[in-house]
Amino acid sequence: MSADLVRQDREENVTRLDDHRSVPVYRPDTDIYDDGDRVIIEADLPGCSVDDIDITLENGVLTIKSQQPRQSRSGWRPIYTEYGEGRFERSFALTDDIDQDKIDASVRNGVLRLELHRSESTKPRRISISAK
Amino acid sequence: MKVRDLVPWGRRKNADHAPALRFRGGRDHRQDRERPLDLFQDEMNDVFERFFRRFDAPSFDRFGGLFGGVPQPLVDVSETDKEIKIVVDLPGLDEDDIDVSVTGNLLTVRGERREERDEDERGFVVHERTIGTFYRSIPLPPGIDPDKAKAEFKRGVLKVRIPKTADAAGHTKRIEVKAA
């Protein structure tokens, strides 16, 4: 299932579509791990608060977006820059075994943590055999 | 531009000969202002490098494989007439994990990002975020007063503001050129 969980796009940190957008869109670095009952997604969104982050789930695709541009330099002259002014965005295609009604999200120190729970019905079950 | 520079292979290997601030995809805006044509050339280089990087080293990820695997946070430096501001992305750290110091004209930020997971959560599917110690030195422009530097850490972003000295603030000395 792991391969299905994320649409892999490892080559660039900037979403390729950004050529067609007015604001550059950056793909946050993300860890995903799986402890059996849950899948945890942790994404680096430096500078973002709870209010800045928009999480949507549509047709099994979970999308993380930051509302605010990455950084506003108004009033400041750039001397040296490594990241541009832009937004974060990344999508994950969820597999069917994730319970879409039970997703917990929290933000701490610029890291978004999503806990996705496996739905009860798809957990592996042991079927007991009764001797006759 | 030398002919050799037209060959994109291996150019990144020479990256350490670049001026101090021209690495890891960052852009030195002071050079941009002085030499606008270089800006165009840089953009073209970026296009080529982005393409050829796929074939070059397996992964120069954002936290620089170039630097022997020491994680390098992203840095942004900007200024007003009165002060300069250094912004460093340090998501997932607490302020206690970060050490900021100024030595001479170098601002050094170091710290450690610890893995905060329980043992039972270790089945990684994707692992892109960097953990461990990091270290980054940022050259500071002249005419600032490091004793009055202030640092704050909020939402995973470190901001250091250093005021310019009274002499340097806002005035550039113009030198008259006389005909000999």
Side-chain angles (χ1 to χ4, degrees):
Chain A
M1 63 133 281
S2 45
D4 299 338
L5 190 72
V6 200
R7 286 196 231 139
Q8 292 287 13
D9 173 22
R10 285 184 172 276
E11 280 172 12
E12 278 293 321
N13 239 333
V14 181
T15 305
R16 291 210 199 113
L17 288 170
D18 70 356
D19 293 343
H20 310 290
R21 304 188 198 200
S22 54
V23 186
V25 175
Y26 292 88
R27 197 180 62 110
D29 281 351
T30 302
D31 282 355
I32 300 176
Y33 45 98
D34 183 348
D35 71 351
D37 294 340
R38 298 172 304 169
V39 174
I40 317 279
I41 300 179
E42 282 184 335
D44 281 350
L45 299 167
C48 291
S49 69
V50 183
D51 301 332
D52 297 335
I53 302 169
D54 191 20
I55 305 164
T56 54
L57 181 61
E58 195 180 346
N59 293 330
V61 177
L62 182 79
T63 303
I64 303 167
K65 277 184 197 173
S66 69
Q67 297 288 340
Q68 295 295 318
R70 175 66 186 80
Q71 188 199 20
S72 172
R73 293 200 186 86
S74 55
W76 293 84
R77 288 188 301 273
I79 296 178
Y80 173 62
T81 53
E82 287 178 353
Y83 45 73
E85 297 182 40
R87 294 189 297 104
F88 287 115
E89 184 173 331
R90 189 160 181 182
S91 293
F92 306 93
L94 302 186
T95 43
D96 292 339
D97 57 345
I98 301 293
D99 186 348
Q100 303 200 349
D101 299 322
K102 205 173 164 191
I103 296 175
D104 301 323
S106 58
V107 182
R108 186 168 172 273
N109 282 341
V111 178
L112 171 71
R113 180 183 166 101
L114 293 169
E115 286 190 24
L116 316 180
H117 297 264
R118 288 241 154 73
S119 52
E120 293 295 327
S121 56
T122 56
K123 278 185 194 164
R125 269 173 290 187
R126 179 170 292 274
I127 296 163
S128 57
I129 305 165
S130 54
K132 278 186 181 168
Chain B
M1 188 170 175
K2 291 172 193 159
V3 177
R4 187 171 57 86
D5 293 339
L6 285 165
V7 182
W9 291 280
R11 184 160 46 200
R12 284 175 65 79
K13 295 192 185 83
N14 295 325
D16 52 353
H17 300 311
L21 280 172
R22 258 307 271 166
F23 59 90
R24 292 182 54 252
R27 169 156 288 155
D28 193 333
H29 292 264
R30 288 166 302 184
Q31 291 187 359
D32 292 352
R33 275 180 233 137
E34 287 157 19
R35 294 179 296 182
L37 265 179
D38 280 5
L39 182 62
F40 172 71
Q41 192 186 319
D42 280 353
E43 302 233 340
M44 291 310 290
N45 285 347
D46 283 349
V47 170
F48 278 101
E49 281 185 13
R50 241 181 284 148
F51 179 75
F52 285 101
R53 204 177 298 162
R54 297 177 200 174
F55 309 113
D56 210 340
S59 114
F60 277 116
D61 50 55
R62 232 175 61 187
F63 284 118
L66 264 176
F67 293 83
V70 178
Q72 292 257 322
L74 291 183
V75 170
D76 206 282
V77 185
S78 54
E79 64 174 352
T80 63
D81 288 343
K82 294 198 174 100
E83 57 183 341
I84 70 160
K85 180 170 75 172
I86 298 111
V87 182
V88 187
D89 269 1
L90 300 168
L93 273 84
D94 287 313
E95 54 268 33
D96 301 337
D97 300 331
I98 304 165
D99 181 58
V100 185
S101 59
V102 180
T103 315
N105 65 342
L106 274 188
L107 176 85
T108 302
V109 181
R110 65 177 87 211
E112 182 172 6
R113 175 145 98 174
R114 297 187 194 92
E115 199 156 19
E116 293 165 352
R117 285 171 193 121
D118 307 331
E119 277 298 315
D120 62 342
E121 287 179 350
R122 283 193 184 261
F124 273 109
V125 179
V126 176
H127 198 350
E128 294 169 349
R129 298 165 66 225
T130 325
I131 51 152
T133 54
F134 65 87
Y135 174 95
R136 182 93 200 244
S137 284
I138 301 134
L140 297 172
I144 53 161
D145 188 350
D147 292 338
K148 290 184 185 148
K150 282 189 192 127
E152 61 162 33
F153 184 69
K154 197 176 167 193
R155 296 173 190 162
V157 178
L158 174 74
K159 282 186 187 146
V160 182
R161 296 165 84 129
I162 307 175
K164 293 185 179 177
T165 54
D167 289 350
H171 79 88
T172 308
K173 195 177 176 193
R174 201 161 273 284
I175 298 160
E176 201 185 334
V177 182
K178 285 182 184 157

